[in-house]
Amino acid sequence: MTRAAETLHVTQPTLSKALKSLEEELGKKLFIRQSFNIKLTDEGMLLRNRAEDLVSMADRIEREFISLDDITGGDLYFGLAESYQIRYLAREIHTFKKTYPRLHYHITSGDTEQVIEKLDKGLLDFIVLAESPAAGKYESLLFPESEEWGLVMPEDDPLASKEAIQAEDLIGLPLFCSEQSWKNDIPRWAGGRMDDLHLEGSFRLAYNASIFTREHLGYYLTFNKLVDTSPGSGLTFRPLTPRLETKLYLVWKKYQTFSPIAERFLTQLKTTFI
């Protein structure tokens, strides 16, 4: 509390009174006060998250106005799903930066729910989704390829001898997958055998899932080329059969008011993104 008051250039009693007033205004206990420290309650954490969004938006508005007259750059904000196809977007940014050398881009990663929330709040310009966006609310461009699903496993696993993996092969095995894909993608492939499959753990980061897989804790259902399965990596990839694919979309809000740099980037995407 003392350090916070010093940072804000107010006295500690003034800060304490302000925090108390905030709790009374919201009708919730925001802080757990102890002898030598103070902690946030769950309600306090929610307020902090919302406040961080507001501060981010305020900072972004300021940067956008500063860059209005800057014809060589500006800021772009992306929320990205994990995919090997992100390389297409990276190539577009690289090309765009040759024309606008003062471009700065900000990358947020997360699942569909996380990045859509930030897009809707105006914190992001574009997001990449591994599912079709709502046509009435968003516009999108389709990535050039479809993502191929498969199973990542230790290279010495008996299933590695198969050319492709069927749902029957996975019955009784501990499986890893993102929670979103386990609900939306895998049932399209497994069909009536879905209830026979066991989700051992869900991951949002492919790298972490690959580590658990390498340690023989389970088998990872994921896109091809998302984790390192090259010789010597300790892992191998086998496609699913019947083939399961997922399309990738670059998405933005309908009737979005873009910053000048975002408008120029979208113009380039619409003419060159293939």
Side-chain angles (χ1 to χ4, degrees), residues 82-203:
E82 286 194 302
S83 167
Y84 181 69
Q85 287 196 76
I86 294 299
R87 71 187 188 278
Y88 290 111
L89 180 61
R91 289 172 186 172
E92 293 295 333
I93 293 174
H94 181 262
T95 299
F96 191 68
K97 200 168 173 61
K98 293 178 182 177
T99 305
Y100 302 98
R102 292 171 57 86
L103 169 71
H104 300 282
Y105 49 91
H106 311 267
I107 306 298
T108 297
S109 296
D111 59 23
T112 296
E113 181 179 347
Q114 291 172 320
V115 295
I116 281 184
E117 180 183 6
K118 289 184 179 296
L119 180 67
D120 289 342
K121 288 180 178 178
L123 298 173
L124 299 174
D125 295 310
F126 305 98
I127 61 175
V128 174
L129 298 182
E131 61 182 68
S132 178
K137 192 174 181 181
Y138 306 103
E139 295 189 58
S140 64
L141 291 173
L142 190 63
F143 273 72
E145 304 173 33
S146 293
E147 295 291 349
E148 179 189 29
W149 280 88
L151 188 72
V152 174
M153 70 200 88
E155 59 186 4
D156 59 355
D157 192 90
L159 281 181
S161 62
K162 288 181 165 288
E163 293 186 2
I165 303 298
Q166 299 178 318
E168 289 78 7
D169 297 326
L170 304 182
I171 295 174
L173 299 181
L175 301 176
F176 300 138
C177 189
S178 72
E179 188 172 347
Q180 173 185 324
S181 296
W182 185 259
K183 292 178 180 178
N184 300 327
D185 296 294
I186 303 305
R188 293 193 287 117
W189 170 72
R193 307 310 301 264
M194 189 67 194
D195 289 340
D196 299 324
L197 303 184
H198 169 62
L199 182 64
E200 177 77 7
S202 60
F203 289 84

Side-chain angles (χ1 to χ4, degrees), residues 1 8 10-25 30-31 33:
M1 286 290 290
L8 296 171
V10 299
T11 64
Q12 184 172 328
T14 299
L15 179 58
S16 296
K17 183 178 179 180
L19 296 181
K20 185 69 174 178
S21 297
L22 183 59
E23 288 182 319
E24 292 174 354
E25 180 181 351
L30 303 174
F31 308 94
R33 296 168 177 82

Side-chain angles (χ1 to χ4, degrees), residues 224-238:
N224 192 13
K225 300 179 182 178
L226 199 56
V227 299
D228 181 15
T229 57
S230 61
S233 68
L235 298 173
T236 191
F237 175 92
R238 293 293 180 270

